[in-house]
Amino acid sequence: MIGLGLPRGFLVTLKNFVRAPVTVQYPDRHVGLFGAAKEAGMNPFRFVVKRPVDSIKAIAGLATVPVALEQSPRFRGNEFTFYEDRCTACASCAKYCPLGIIEIVSVPGKIDAQEGESYKLEVFDIDIGRCMFCGLCVEACPYDALHMGTKFERSTYVRDELIVTLDELNAAEKKPSSFYRPQFEENAFDPYTETVDDHYDAGRHERPSDEDLKKKWVDER
Amino acid sequence: MAIKTQPVTVNLGPQHPSTHGVFRLRVMFDGEEIVDVEPVFGYLHRGSEKLAEERTYTQIVTLTDRMDYVSPMLNNQAYMLAVEKLAGIEPTQRGVWLRMIAAELQRIASHLVATGFLLQDLGALGTPLIYAMRERENILDLFEMLCGARITNSYLRPGGVFMDAPTGFWLALDRELVDIVNTLDELEEYLSGNEIVFSRTKGTAVLAPELLINASITGPMLRASGVDWDLRHRNPYDYYDRIEFKRILHTASDNYARYWVRVQEARESVNIIRQCVAQIEPGPVRPSFDDVPRLIRPPKGDAYVAIEGSKGELGFYLVSDGGIAPYRMHVRAPSLINLTLLRDMLIGGLFGDLFVSFGSVDLNMGEVDR
Amino acid sequence: MDPAFLDNSLWRNIYCNLAGDSAGCAAREYSAGMLPTGMEWLAFALAAAAIIGLFVNGVLGGVIVLIWGERRLFGRFQTRTGPNRWGPFGLLTPVADAIKTMFKEDVVPKDADRILFNLAPVMIAAPALLVFSVIPFGVGTYVADLNVGVLFIMAVTSLTTLAVLTAAWSSGNRIAILSAFRSVALLISYEIPMALALVGVIMLAGSMSLGQIIGAQSIPFILVQPLAVFVFFIAAMAEMARAPFDLTEAESELAAGYLNDYASMKFGIFFLAEFMAEISTSAIITVLFLSGWRGWEPVPSHLWFGAKLILVLFVIIWFRMTLPRLRIDQVLKLAWKGLFELTLINIIVTAVLIAIWPEPTTTRLWIMAAVNWPVAIISIWAVSKLLGTSGYDDTEPDSDAPVYPVATEQIPGSAVHISGVTGPDTQARISSPANSHIEQGGN
Ligand code: SF4
Ligand code: SF4
């Protein structure tokens, strides 16, 4: 009805005024006294008695607690997770990358327990400064050696530092995203709390038993 | 005594808060009245169509994400339909339902953005924009669950989608659909009876339906003039023929009608998603790699597929020479074509309405310039 | 020395402490006398400097808090948190802003008229500060109690437009000029309803002195003069160029308008002046309509004033956050066709009431309120009818029926149904011109 539109608008804004804010504060969140006490695992009275300085800070609005962002396990982040032991240097990933930013140099001669003789990687560089995290390289990898990562903080002052080398990939924390990796989803793997260090666990198949391996690679030869 | 006046030419953009990207308008004003408008675009040209000529068909999906970056899922869908037509790929059932759900979610998100920014152009200082964006944020969260990215989705693959929805998705979707309706209610409560919005938008930038048809304008802009033209209904692609939905039409063809049509269409999209969820069945989400390999080589020929994008008829034209990459790709970008009536909309209007009318086109510079 | 100004307790405290002027202070039982006799002029100058320093810094401090508070409130209206990072609850954010602003490069455009360009910030800051000189912030806390206080306020606030015009003209920027023209149009239109709205208050109080107007408010005038409050509030928003009347800055159209070419602290001063105007407007509304510092006893008068001020500021911010901007023709129409009539109605009704009951006592004020409210509601309703809201059609079309029929026919070789246009009422709709809103008078 004409004439009531504006007051109705005012009510809507007022309703939103009293709503809890939707802002996600990152990397830390400001808390009041109750929040700080909850974070410390005490009730507020105990908190005030035990930690007076912290409680004054909390009352003054200066206390912060760290925040972990809520992300989907499929989140395509940087810090690719890479298992060198699974990689056969087939370079599918490099061919699939729309930007051609994966550089692979391989030499023959590596003996792998699961795959037998294969190529050994010498260079495996991803220029994530140009990467758009489309995930096509991960989709292309036939051996589940390359996975998207789940982190997203990698700002530097120098572009060259954004080229991730093989050593860095190997040293990085193994928190693979479940993007295009249904096996992680089936196990309800949560990359934000768990890691997958063993490369056998990152694959699509059951982990072979030691006898199987021995039979396959030693006895049959 | 007669005071001598003289029209002034003012350059609005490319750096201007309301140009929806990098767009430039050379406007001649006589006082507050607009005498002449000359749009200048091309500032965001990235040569996507040319780049596509040296990408494989799967890799091009990443380019389509970046065309209309407010509705990447719809771009994905239009492109994949063109690829499927070109290569003769039969999509899988579940894949199609999933991409329809994603596309309708994207349509809601895009209409929310359009509505929010229209009101931002009206000078509402960001409040309704943030309410709209808040809801869009939740839709993007759903996309993150589906495909791991919020804007640069690249969710679709020839014949379906790359991965089935995760377990928590359906519950989250149900909750989100309720939220969307609440937000739309709130936006309407806030604005649909608002006298200032009425007086600012009703009767401004009226375009005759004849003119719109002749300029091949499509989408909410056309439907706001009463022309019943929705490709989902006229030429059902995917499984839209199995869906019952209302076509939203308005007769006024002014800025208000465009706003109204978008909000109602977002509501209708919720309805469509509900029906999709009811009809979806388990199964593979993309054809096996034996049927559709990663590297497809469509036979020589060409294909054009248009879908009802959030901004109008979004078409992809692909020419194949039998190789792994298209010989030529062309995009029928609704934003660009809807801009063609800019002069008719703006000339004779007032400065205050310039960006409102401009915003009511709902254009996206990423798509205009490509 | 003429002791008239010694009525003001602020002045008296400082002046008498310094001078101990026997003629002025002893009579008021107050005399400390730090300076030798014969130095009253020095004491006068020092007292003036102290008072000016106190007020300017007080106002600036208020502005800083307001900037913070406004941004926090904006945040809450938009379901965000607002700035909360720097300092407790983000209180230091405006300080950081100020430092950042100061260290920006001070760019002067090549085509600018340098003298005027540099003068404009001063021109806008001075009147914004001057307004505060007549506002009583509490019992005895004011710089001057002019007997033409209301007139002074009206005169001084209109100076800001001159500064806006100067800034726009001197920066040699067309967008700025457009904005300045809007500003002048706005000022000329809204000055009149604003002044007329105050006539009712002045008639009731029988004085233009703000102190006496507060004295006359045994009940707040917002109850007695609803029409005046309504008009004054809208007109004041327009004078401040705040949403929904922020046509001069119009972020989404003019992109800051006359401020386009200002950078660094010159921009900062415009910014500060804007917020000072917001505070002073709220203070004026508090004084004229909310009975200023009057309140119940144990709570000090300054707190009452502050609380009312914050309330008015909240309402202003609430308005800003809710309302979209009006177009220039609508704004001017509202002033001349709407608010102007309302003020005339208010003046007539108030005059009649005062003619019936001169010397308004509390009871009489209540009776006047009882008369004025129905008058206000009826006249606002009538004027809004006159302004032409009847043209709006808020029923939506039935979207089931195609309104503009499109014939479907099969095009050979295509699955797509293509349209042929056979609308029966095509001609009628095409004839509506693109600029029809001008003929409809801006509806
Ligand atoms: S995520 Fe995409 S862009 Fe990045 S390396 Fe992989 S394929 Fe290339
Ligand atoms: S990461 Fe995967 S795709 Fe890339 S070279 Fe190694 S095995 Fe091949």
Side-chain angles (χ1 to χ4, degrees):
Chain A
M1 206 198 101
I2 292 295
L4 292 181
L6 290 185
R8 264 161 62 195
F10 281 115
L11 282 184
V12 170
T13 38
L14 197 64
K15 212 169 74 196
N16 278 285
F17 179 72
V18 292
R19 235 179 99 136
V22 290
T23 313
V24 177
Q25 299 180 42
Y26 181 81
D28 48 23
R29 172 167 61 92
H30 279 244
V31 286
L33 180 62
F34 291 95
K38 203 172 154 204
E39 183 66 19
M42 306 180 199
N43 69 42
F45 296 109
R46 225 171 100 86
F47 187 72
V48 173
V49 176
K50 286 265 167 170
R51 288 157 59 176
V53 179
D54 285 349
S55 46
I56 288 170
K57 264 176 91 177
I59 291 168
L62 291 172
T64 55
V65 295
V67 172
L69 282 190
E70 258 185 49
Q71 280 167 242
S72 137
R74 264 183 208 183
F75 180 73
R76 310 202 293 250
N78 60 22
E79 296 277 359
F80 286 87
T81 306
F82 180 64
Y83 298 96
E84 198 186 353
D85 289 338
R86 297 193 73 87
C87 178
T88 57
C90 68
S92 288
C93 49
K95 269 179 258 162
Y96 251 76
C97 177
L99 306 174
I101 55 174
I102 304 183
E103 190 185 342
I104 297 181
V105 178
S106 57
V107 288
K110 190 185 159 212
I111 305 288
D112 181 86
Q114 186 178 5
E115 307 288 339
E117 193 173 2
S118 74
Y119 287 87
K120 182 179 158 30
L121 284 172
E122 271 202 338
V123 176
F124 191 96
D125 289 354
I126 305 181
D127 181 0
I128 63 170
R130 289 170 60 205
C131 178
M132 55 186 174
F133 307 106
C134 60
L136 286 178
C137 52
V138 173
E139 201 175 319
C141 178
Y143 303 105
D144 289 5
L146 189 64
H147 307 258
M148 296 307 290
T150 40
K151 296 201 185 134
F152 49 86
E153 298 160 311
R154 211 193 161 94
S155 42
T156 61
Y157 287 103
V158 189
R159 267 200 100 106
D160 284 356
E161 284 173 22
L162 288 171
I163 298 177
V164 191
T165 60
L166 184 56
D167 294 338
E168 279 174 56
L169 281 170
N170 281 336
E173 215 182 354
K174 303 276 190 262
K175 283 185 175 299
S177 149
S178 64
F179 164 79
Y180 210 75
R181 296 285 178 258
Q183 67 267 27
F184 290 138
E185 242 158 49
E186 276 158 25
N187 304 340
F189 167 71
D190 178 9
Y192 302 102
T193 50
E194 308 161 46
T195 52
V196 181
D197 288 329
D198 191 340
H199 67 87
Y200 279 120
D201 296 339
R204 254 167 264 187
H205 311 287
E206 285 285 297
R207 182 193 176 119
S209 65
D210 287 348
E211 292 93 77
D212 287 349
L213 286 177
K214 186 163 167 291
K215 204 165 106 223
K216 193 169 181 196
W217 298 116
V218 183
D219 300 348
E220 282 180 10
R221 298 212 165 188
Chain B
M1 191 189 82
I3 300 174
K4 189 170 164 288
T5 59
Q6 187 186 347
V8 290
T9 308
V10 176
N11 212 354
L12 298 171
Q15 262 71 39
H16 188 280
S18 294
T19 51
H20 298 248
V22 271
F23 185 70
R24 182 165 153 216
L25 276 170
R26 221 178 281 134
V27 194
M28 196 187 272
F29 289 111
D30 182 7
E32 287 270 335
E33 196 180 323
I34 300 164
V35 187
D36 196 9
V37 179
E38 187 191 339
V40 185
F41 37 81
Y43 290 94
L44 208 55
H45 179 63
R46 292 150 298 173
S48 303
E49 288 170 0
K50 190 73 194 165
L51 283 174
E53 290 169 18
E54 47 188 55
R55 297 257 198 292
T56 66
Y57 286 92
T58 314
Q59 288 174 347
I60 293 171
V61 186
T62 59
L63 289 176
T64 63
D65 285 342
R66 288 154 178 82
M67 275 171 194
D68 177 358
Y69 42 77
V70 180
S71 48
M73 280 291 188
L74 286 158
N75 296 354
N76 284 189
Q77 192 191 20
Y79 170 72
M80 275 313 159
L81 282 162
V83 172
E84 281 163 14
K85 189 169 173 191
L86 185 68
I89 297 169
E90 185 58 38
T92 62
Q93 283 251 359
R94 194 174 171 83
V96 170
W97 285 121
L98 272 172
R99 75 187 180 196
M100 276 171 71
I101 292 172
E104 289 303 323
L105 279 174
Q106 188 70 78
R107 191 186 313 279
I108 298 171
S110 174
H111 282 345
L112 280 173
V113 172
T115 311
F117 271 105
L118 177 62
L119 297 159
Q120 169 85 346
D121 293 340
L122 278 175
L125 271 177
T127 318
L129 173 65
I130 295 219
Y131 297 165
M133 281 299 198
R134 196 174 63 199
E135 210 44 56
R136 172 175 178 259
E137 222 30 45
N138 296 338
I139 295 176
L140 296 190
D141 279 345
L142 286 182
F143 286 164
E144 191 186 310
M145 283 178 96
L146 270 182
C147 59
R150 300 160 69 82
I151 307 273
T152 52
N153 306 116
S154 308
Y155 184 42
L156 270 60
R157 296 286 181 271
V161 300
F162 67 68
M163 227 176 153
D164 203 349
T167 33
F169 176 76
W170 301 107
L171 203 65
L173 179 66
D174 272 356
R175 228 176 291 130
E176 178 54 25
L177 290 183
V178 177
D179 274 4
I180 289 170
V181 175
N182 286 343
T183 300
L184 289 173
D185 282 347
E186 193 175 271
L187 269 179
E188 279 205 289
E189 170 92 20
Y190 183 8
L191 294 153
S192 290
N194 192 318
E195 284 80 2
I196 296 184
V197 175
F198 268 28
S199 55
R200 284 295 303 277
T201 54
K202 286 213 167 182
T204 52
V206 181
L207 292 168
E210 280 271 284
L211 194 61
L212 290 164
I213 292 173
N214 287 345
S216 80
I217 292 204
T218 45
M221 236 179 132
L222 183 62
R223 288 192 286 277
S225 73
V227 182
D228 182 13
W229 185 257
D230 186 331
L231 284 180
R232 289 175 292 173
H233 157 70
R234 288 275 160 190
N235 180 24
Y237 49 91
D238 279 353
Y239 295 153
Y240 278 105
D241 44 357
R242 305 186 199 174
I243 302 271
E244 294 264 313
F245 65 96
K246 223 164 62 183
R247 282 109 60 202
I248 310 296
L249 297 170
H250 200 292
T251 40
S253 193
D254 53 10
N255 288 340
Y256 182 79
R258 284 167 215 140
Y259 149 76
W260 185 85
V261 164
R262 288 203 180 95
V263 174
Q264 302 307 319
E265 263 185 26
R267 276 182 199 284
E268 208 46 45
S269 288
V270 173
N271 184 12
I272 294 177
I273 296 171
R274 291 231 165 87
Q275 294 183 41
C276 291
V277 175
Q279 297 185 43
I280 192 167
E281 283 161 16
V285 292
R286 71 190 281 184
S288 77
F289 285 125
D290 304 332
D291 298 342
V292 182
R294 285 179 204 278
L295 209 56
I296 46 178
R297 290 170 202 271
K300 267 194 184 139
D302 58 349
Y304 174 76
V305 171
I307 68 161
E308 187 61 39
S310 58
K311 303 183 167 62
E313 182 179 325
L314 172 64
F316 274 79
Y317 178 62
L318 289 170
V319 184
S320 164
D321 57 359
I324 57 170
Y327 174 76
R328 171 84 169 97
M329 179 171 96
H330 175 72
V331 187
R332 186 212 187 269
S335 294
L336 174 64
I337 292 165
N338 289 0
L339 264 185
T340 47
L341 283 190
L342 202 58
R343 286 170 61 90
D344 301 66
M345 284 175 92
L346 298 181
I347 292 178
L350 293 182
F351 189 9
D353 287 334
L354 194 152
F355 283 110
V356 183
S357 310
F358 182 67
S360 80
V361 179
D362 184 17
L363 76 169
N364 181 294
M365 293 321 287
E367 192 177 60
V368 172
D369 298 338
R370 300 197 288 286
Chain C
M1 185 153 295
D2 177 24
F5 74 97
L6 293 179
D7 291 337
N8 184 332
S9 65
L10 253 181
W11 278 94
R12 191 173 67 224
N13 285 345
I14 300 173
Y15 176 77
C16 297
N17 260 318
L18 290 168
D21 173 9
S22 49
C25 301
R28 289 167 181 79
E29 302 154 14
Y30 198 96
S31 176
M34 281 148 81
L35 291 175
T37 37
M39 296 286 269
E40 284 92 357
W41 61 271
L42 183 59
F44 184 81
L46 285 177
I51 295 265
I52 290 169
L54 197 71
F55 263 79
V56 170
N57 285 307
V59 168
L60 286 179
V63 166
I64 295 244
V65 175
L66 175 63
I67 293 175
W68 169 80
E70 187 169 272
R71 289 175 61 183
R72 286 299 292 241
L73 284 182
F74 274 18
R76 291 314 305 268
F77 274 117
Q78 303 180 345
T79 60
R80 300 182 283 118
T81 49
N84 66 348
R85 288 273 137 184
W86 179 229
F89 310 106
L91 258 172
L92 293 181
T93 319
V95 178
D97 281 350
I99 292 172
K100 184 200 76 173
T101 316
M102 275 185 236
F103 283 100
K104 289 250 168 144
E105 187 189 351
D106 186 9
V107 186
V108 180
K110 207 172 102 217
D111 288 348
D113 182 335
R114 275 185 164 265
I115 298 173
L116 289 182
F117 190 77
N118 291 334
L119 198 61
V122 183
M123 284 172 71
I124 201 155
L129 274 169
L130 262 181
V131 179
F132 288 100
S133 59
V134 292
I135 293 171
F137 289 98
V139 183
T141 313
Y142 50 85
V143 178
D145 186 12
L146 291 186
N147 53 3
V148 286
V150 176
L151 203 60
F152 177 80
I153 289 172
M154 297 303 301
V156 164
T157 46
S158 34
L159 281 177
T160 44
T161 299
L162 203 58
V164 169
L165 194 57
T166 313
W169 183 260
S170 64
S171 51
N173 179 329
R174 290 171 194 172
I175 289 185
I177 291 282
L178 277 171
S179 136
F181 288 168
R182 282 179 172 190
S183 167
V184 173
L186 223 65
L187 178 96
I188 292 174
S189 311
Y190 278 88
E191 196 82 332
I192 292 161
M194 191 168 167
L196 291 181
L198 296 182
V199 171
V201 174
I202 295 165
M203 282 198 286
L204 277 175
S207 165
M208 281 204 196
S209 143
L210 294 183
Q212 290 191 29
I213 288 177
I214 293 178
Q217 294 186 51
S218 45
I219 62 172
F221 279 169
I222 188 171
L223 298 173
V224 189
Q225 293 276 311
L227 262 183
V229 179
F230 181 77
V231 174
F232 186 83
F233 188 76
I234 294 178
M237 297 277 277
E239 285 259 314
M240 285 190 293
R242 281 283 147 126
F245 304 101
D246 55 344
L247 296 153
T248 44
E249 277 177 40
E251 186 59 31
S252 58
E253 298 162 25
L254 291 166
Y258 62 93
L259 293 175
N260 242 320
D261 282 325
Y262 279 91
S264 185
M265 208 50 213
K266 277 181 215 151
F267 172 80
I269 290 173
F270 276 105
F271 195 68
L272 288 180
E274 211 169 275
F275 279 89
M276 282 184 214
E278 195 169 335
I279 297 184
S280 60
T281 307
S282 318
I284 293 165
I285 292 176
T286 311
V287 167
L288 295 181
F289 297 108
L290 298 176
S291 68
W293 41 258
R294 282 173 82 140
W296 291 292
E297 230 344 290
V299 185
S301 62
H302 297 85
L303 279 190
W304 277 111
F305 188 89
K308 290 173 186 174
L309 187 73
I310 288 171
L311 185 77
V312 178
L313 280 172
F314 178 81
V315 174
I316 289 180
I317 290 169
W318 189 11
F319 263 68
R320 283 190 74 183
M321 286 328 286
T322 309
L323 298 180
R325 188 183 308 124
L326 284 159
R327 214 192 302 134
I328 182 81
D329 56 332
Q330 294 162 345
V331 168
L332 300 187
K333 203 167 105 180
L334 178 67
W336 290 106
K337 294 190 184 165
L339 302 185
F340 188 56
E341 292 162 15
L342 289 177
T343 50
L344 291 185
I345 293 172
N346 185 44
I347 290 173
I348 293 167
V349 173
T350 316
V352 169
L353 288 175
I354 289 180
I356 302 172
W357 297 292
E359 299 285 317
T361 57
T362 312
T363 350
R364 285 175 177 175
L365 281 179
W366 278 115
I367 298 171
M368 287 185 187
V371 177
N372 269 334
W373 272 96
V375 170
I377 291 167
I378 290 170
S379 51
I380 290 174
W381 177 79
V383 166
S384 66
K385 277 280 167 213
L386 276 179
L387 270 179
T389 42
S390 53
Y392 303 151
D393 167 27
D394 57 350
T395 54
E396 302 302 347
D398 175 16
S399 52
D400 278 339
V403 225
Y404 187 83
V406 181
T408 55
E409 63 193 49
Q410 195 83 30
I411 297 288
S414 159
V416 187
H417 306 277
I418 301 286
S419 65
V421 181
T422 54
D425 51 352
T426 311
Q427 286 310 318
R429 214 164 309 105
I430 289 173
S431 63
S432 63
N435 55 357
S436 61
H437 65 278
I438 292 177
E439 281 144 38
Q440 290 165 17
N443 284 338

